[in-house]
Amino acid sequence: MKPAQQADSSLPIGLFGGTFDPVHRGHIQVALDASEALEIDDFRLLPAGDPPHRMGTHAPAADRVAMLELALRGYSGLSIDTREVDREGPSYMVDTLEELRQAHPDAPLVLVLGQDAANGLHRWHRWQRLPALAHLVVMTRPGERPMYGGQLGTALAHRETREIARLKDSTAGLLLHLDVSQMDVSSTEIRRRIAAGDPVVTLLPPGVLGYIEEHGLYRDVRAL
């Protein structure tokens, strides 16, 4: 298993969570784009263990981590942080950030998420704590726009910055939007195509399709 890097205590740590069920080229491209744009050398992908906001995962945690390991081969700046799959119970991002904050009290923590996830942030467990623990970087694709209403809008008001450099001046608390190109790929569609016997090799990082075939993952269309 490729571990998360041991970062300097004051250097920024990038975090990109998801079920990665399975990991696909879009996930890797987001991680690469974000780590490059934000100039973060320690960028961690966080596979979820038991995501409470979803109907569970389709592949076991060990398989999802193994596929991530294959996908990240050759990317020295990207690593896997398995604390959520190692932790018993639901995977709450706030718990993960609190653990990381305790371990790295002086490091800027940068949580990268998509615009859809950001718009629904008020439904996350103890979401009010998130800006106190990390900077929020929202990857916005063409046609998407921020929709921060109610308490979420109030909580994020006056936090937005357009200056990436500011993320390194404090440990948490800022909101930054990054425009990214659209990559038309999703784990849901990949699972559907695998179950139907349709080709997916161009949608997956090298080695991942072989792993899926070897372990018989995503073959049952009824589970999708």
Side-chain angles (χ1 to χ4, degrees):
M1 180 178 299
K2 183 180 179 182
Q5 301 176 23
Q6 294 297 315
D8 182 286
S9 62
S10 62
L11 294 179
I13 299 173
L15 305 164
F16 177 40
T19 55
F20 304 111
D21 195 17
V23 60
H24 55 66
R25 290 184 182 274
H27 292 136
I28 304 304
Q29 194 60 55
V30 166
L32 290 172
D33 289 348
S35 61
E36 180 178 358
L38 302 172
E39 299 180 344
I40 295 178
D41 295 327
D42 181 3
F43 195 93
R44 309 180 185 186
L45 282 75
L46 287 157
D50 178 16
H53 62 294
R54 295 174 180 260
M55 296 297 291
T57 57
H58 299 272
D63 289 321
R64 292 184 286 114
V65 171
M67 287 186 283
L68 271 173
E69 290 174 345
L70 291 170
L72 296 189
R73 284 180 179 175
Y75 298 112
S76 59
L78 305 181
S79 62
I80 306 169
D81 191 315
T82 62
R83 70 185 65 235
E84 292 197 352
V85 298
D86 296 337
R87 188 169 61 221
E88 294 184 2
S91 294
Y92 292 123
M93 181 58 69
V94 66
D95 295 334
T96 298
L97 293 178
E98 286 179 338
E99 287 181 13
L100 285 162
R101 175 55 64 212
Q102 185 173 9
H104 305 279
D106 300 321
L109 299 181
V110 182
L111 177 61
V112 174
L113 62 164
Q115 187 64 68
D116 284 348
N119 288 344
L121 208 61
H122 58 287
R123 291 189 288 269
W124 290 27
H125 181 62
R126 295 171 58 211
W127 66 270
Q128 296 93 337
R129 281 278 292 153
L130 298 178
L133 295 167
H135 299 305
L136 305 178
V137 172
V138 181
M139 308 290 276
T140 302
R141 294 172 173 81
E144 296 179 326
R145 62 187 183 91
M147 297 179 65
Y148 309 136
Q151 291 183 329
L152 179 60
T154 301
L156 297 181
H158 311 300
R159 293 187 181 275
E160 186 165 5
T161 180
R162 296 179 180 273
E163 301 177 33
I164 291 175
R166 288 191 61 198
L167 301 180
K168 299 180 181 181
D169 294 337
S170 59
T171 59
L174 296 177
L175 169 67
L176 176 78
H177 290 90
L178 277 180
D179 292 331
V180 296
S181 58
Q182 179 73 40
M183 182 169 281
D184 190 18
V185 55
S186 73
S187 295
T188 300
E189 175 62 14
I190 289 171
R191 294 194 302 268
R192 186 200 66 76
R193 293 177 66 128
I194 291 172
D198 295 333
V200 294
V201 64
T202 60
L203 306 177
L204 298 170
V208 173
L209 179 57
Y211 186 96
I212 290 172
E213 293 175 338
E214 179 182 353
H215 292 82
L217 302 177
Y218 311 121
R219 288 180 178 175
D220 189 352
V221 70
R222 293 172 299 175
L224 304 183

